[in-house]
Amino acid sequence: PASLRARAPLLPRHLFQSLPLWRVQWVTLPAFNELLNVHVPHYTHMFTKLLSKPRPWYFGSFYLEGGSQNLGSEDHPLREGEVGTLCEVVAFERQQDGRLLLSTRAVGRVVVTSVVQRLPYAQADCEYFADFEEMEAFDEAGMEAAVDLAPSSAALDEMSDVVACSTLAAAAAHGCGWAERERVFPPIGGEVSPLSVIE
């Protein structure tokens, strides 16, 4: 049990550190696909920075009343415990006028555990927020493995945190893997009208 506990920080694939956040005036639901026309300078910068790194290109989509105009507002601060949607950029195209056209898919929910940055765009440490059904699918297998490994009921109690962490990691890995398999985007092509302005 001690060795498993020591390994626990290495196990989760459900922690997303310094996740860039797209705080906009609409809600993105898990399993949805979106085509984003990014034109606001701070978000163009955010996505350019994100796309300069290796895949996967994850970001969080969080509802913010009024969108960008309220990013620095004390009335609309980003808070720990706020729930949003983990999204992934699957394809992108730079427009001649500086805009970015992004094909994105919504993978699952995330919850803010710590705010890292508020401006010019938000960043936060986030944790995958699995649905009950996602957790249930892996919880039984995790408990069975713990029972097999634990030499006593006291050791089993000690392993409960590791089992919970592993269950959540498995649910997150399954969610991310399912999203990749199920939603394949065609290549982006053509022009988007400059009038189709979406933050």
Side-chain angles (χ1 to χ4, degrees), residues 5 81-82 100 132-133 140 151 161 169 171:
R5 189 174 293 277
E82 196 167 331
L100 289 171
F132 175 75
E133 293 82 4
E140 187 176 338
D161 288 345

PDB file of all heavy atoms in Angstrom, residues 5 81-82 100 132-133 140 151 161 169 171:
ATOM      1  N   ARG A   5       0.666   4.225  -2.743  1.00  0.00           N
ATOM      2  CA  ARG A   5       0.386   5.605  -2.370  1.00  0.00           C
ATOM      3  C   ARG A   5       1.480   6.533  -2.909  1.00  0.00           C
ATOM      4  O   ARG A   5       1.219   7.632  -3.369  1.00  0.00           O
ATOM      5  CB  ARG A   5       0.276   5.735  -0.847  1.00  0.00           C
ATOM      6  CG  ARG A   5      -0.214   7.095  -0.389  1.00  0.00           C
ATOM      7  CD  ARG A   5      -0.435   7.123   1.108  1.00  0.00           C
ATOM      8  NE  ARG A   5      -1.522   6.267   1.513  1.00  0.00           N
ATOM      9  CZ  ARG A   5      -2.807   6.621   1.467  1.00  0.00           C
ATOM     10  NH1 ARG A   5      -3.140   7.813   0.996  1.00  0.00           N
ATOM     11  NH2 ARG A   5      -3.750   5.807   1.873  1.00  0.00           N
ATOM     12  N   GLY A  81     -13.554  25.407  -7.857  1.00  0.00           N
ATOM     13  CA  GLY A  81     -14.822  24.688  -7.817  1.00  0.00           C
ATOM     14  C   GLY A  81     -15.727  24.959  -9.005  1.00  0.00           C
ATOM     15  O   GLY A  81     -16.737  24.284  -9.199  1.00  0.00           O
ATOM     16  N   GLU A  82     -15.367  25.940  -9.837  1.00  0.00           N
ATOM     17  CA  GLU A  82     -16.161  26.239 -11.027  1.00  0.00           C
ATOM     18  C   GLU A  82     -16.005  25.104 -12.038  1.00  0.00           C
ATOM     19  O   GLU A  82     -14.905  24.604 -12.255  1.00  0.00           O
ATOM     20  CB  GLU A  82     -15.703  27.563 -11.626  1.00  0.00           C
ATOM     21  CG  GLU A  82     -16.683  28.164 -12.609  1.00  0.00           C
ATOM     22  CD  GLU A  82     -16.367  29.607 -12.949  1.00  0.00           C
ATOM     23  OE1 GLU A  82     -15.783  30.327 -12.110  1.00  0.00           O
ATOM     24  OE2 GLU A  82     -16.707  30.010 -14.077  1.00  0.00           O
ATOM     25  N   LEU A 100      -8.083  32.877 -36.205  1.00  0.00           N
ATOM     26  CA  LEU A 100      -7.850  31.427 -36.203  1.00  0.00           C
ATOM     27  C   LEU A 100      -9.187  30.723 -36.354  1.00  0.00           C
ATOM     28  O   LEU A 100     -10.164  31.061 -35.672  1.00  0.00           O
ATOM     29  CB  LEU A 100      -7.207  30.976 -34.892  1.00  0.00           C
ATOM     30  CG  LEU A 100      -5.758  31.376 -34.655  1.00  0.00           C
ATOM     31  CD1 LEU A 100      -5.355  31.051 -33.224  1.00  0.00           C
ATOM     32  CD2 LEU A 100      -4.836  30.648 -35.633  1.00  0.00           C
ATOM     33  N   PHE A 132     -21.110  10.178 -12.929  1.00  0.00           N
ATOM     34  CA  PHE A 132     -21.301   9.010 -12.075  1.00  0.00           C
ATOM     35  C   PHE A 132     -21.140   7.721 -12.877  1.00  0.00           C
ATOM     36  O   PHE A 132     -20.498   6.775 -12.435  1.00  0.00           O
ATOM     37  CB  PHE A 132     -22.690   9.054 -11.425  1.00  0.00           C
ATOM     38  CG  PHE A 132     -23.010   7.822 -10.630  1.00  0.00           C
ATOM     39  CD1 PHE A 132     -22.439   7.609  -9.383  1.00  0.00           C
ATOM     40  CD2 PHE A 132     -23.865   6.854 -11.151  1.00  0.00           C
ATOM     41  CE1 PHE A 132     -22.718   6.464  -8.660  1.00  0.00           C
ATOM     42  CE2 PHE A 132     -24.147   5.702 -10.431  1.00  0.00           C
ATOM     43  CZ  PHE A 132     -23.578   5.514  -9.183  1.00  0.00           C
ATOM     44  N   GLU A 133     -21.705   7.695 -14.086  1.00  0.00           N
ATOM     45  CA  GLU A 133     -21.628   6.488 -14.911  1.00  0.00           C
ATOM     46  C   GLU A 133     -20.186   6.166 -15.304  1.00  0.00           C
ATOM     47  O   GLU A 133     -19.808   4.998 -15.377  1.00  0.00           O
ATOM     48  CB  GLU A 133     -22.489   6.642 -16.174  1.00  0.00           C
ATOM     49  CG  GLU A 133     -23.977   6.711 -15.923  1.00  0.00           C
ATOM     50  CD  GLU A 133     -24.478   8.083 -15.520  1.00  0.00           C
ATOM     51  OE1 GLU A 133     -23.672   9.042 -15.492  1.00  0.00           O
ATOM     52  OE2 GLU A 133     -25.667   8.207 -15.200  1.00  0.00           O
ATOM     53  N   GLU A 140     -15.733  -0.639  -9.619  1.00  0.00           N
ATOM     54  CA  GLU A 140     -15.800  -2.046  -9.203  1.00  0.00           C
ATOM     55  C   GLU A 140     -14.473  -2.766  -9.472  1.00  0.00           C
ATOM     56  O   GLU A 140     -13.958  -3.493  -8.610  1.00  0.00           O
ATOM     57  CB  GLU A 140     -16.945  -2.761  -9.923  1.00  0.00           C
ATOM     58  CG  GLU A 140     -17.178  -4.166  -9.416  1.00  0.00           C
ATOM     59  CD  GLU A 140     -18.381  -4.835 -10.085  1.00  0.00           C
ATOM     60  OE1 GLU A 140     -19.266  -4.122 -10.604  1.00  0.00           O
ATOM     61  OE2 GLU A 140     -18.412  -6.076 -10.072  1.00  0.00           O
ATOM     62  N   PRO A 151      -3.331  -6.875   2.252  1.00  0.00           N
ATOM     63  CA  PRO A 151      -3.126  -8.002   3.164  1.00  0.00           C
ATOM     64  C   PRO A 151      -4.082  -7.973   4.348  1.00  0.00           C
ATOM     65  O   PRO A 151      -4.256  -8.973   5.025  1.00  0.00           O
ATOM     66  CB  PRO A 151      -1.676  -7.816   3.625  1.00  0.00           C
ATOM     67  CG  PRO A 151      -1.405  -6.363   3.461  1.00  0.00           C
ATOM     68  CD  PRO A 151      -2.250  -5.900   2.315  1.00  0.00           C
ATOM     69  N   ASP A 161      -7.889   5.901  -1.006  1.00  0.00           N
ATOM     70  CA  ASP A 161      -7.561   7.113  -1.762  1.00  0.00           C
ATOM     71  C   ASP A 161      -6.929   6.780  -3.104  1.00  0.00           C
ATOM     72  O   ASP A 161      -7.215   7.411  -4.125  1.00  0.00           O
ATOM     73  CB  ASP A 161      -6.603   8.010  -0.969  1.00  0.00           C
ATOM     74  CG  ASP A 161      -7.281   8.685   0.213  1.00  0.00           C
ATOM     75  OD1 ASP A 161      -8.520   8.687   0.254  1.00  0.00           O
ATOM     76  OD2 ASP A 161      -6.556   9.204   1.079  1.00  0.00           O
ATOM     77  N   ALA A 169      -8.787   8.520 -12.703  1.00  0.00           N
ATOM     78  CA  ALA A 169      -7.832   8.549 -13.820  1.00  0.00           C
ATOM     79  C   ALA A 169      -8.299   7.649 -14.964  1.00  0.00           C
ATOM     80  O   ALA A 169      -8.197   8.020 -16.136  1.00  0.00           O
ATOM     81  CB  ALA A 169      -6.453   8.121 -13.338  1.00  0.00           C
ATOM     82  N   ALA A 171     -11.411   6.784 -15.623  1.00  0.00           N
ATOM     83  CA  ALA A 171     -12.588   7.413 -16.245  1.00  0.00           C
ATOM     84  C   ALA A 171     -12.164   8.540 -17.173  1.00  0.00           C
ATOM     85  O   ALA A 171     -12.697   8.693 -18.276  1.00  0.00           O
ATOM     86  CB  ALA A 171     -13.532   7.931 -15.159  1.00  0.00           C
TER      87      ALA A 171
END
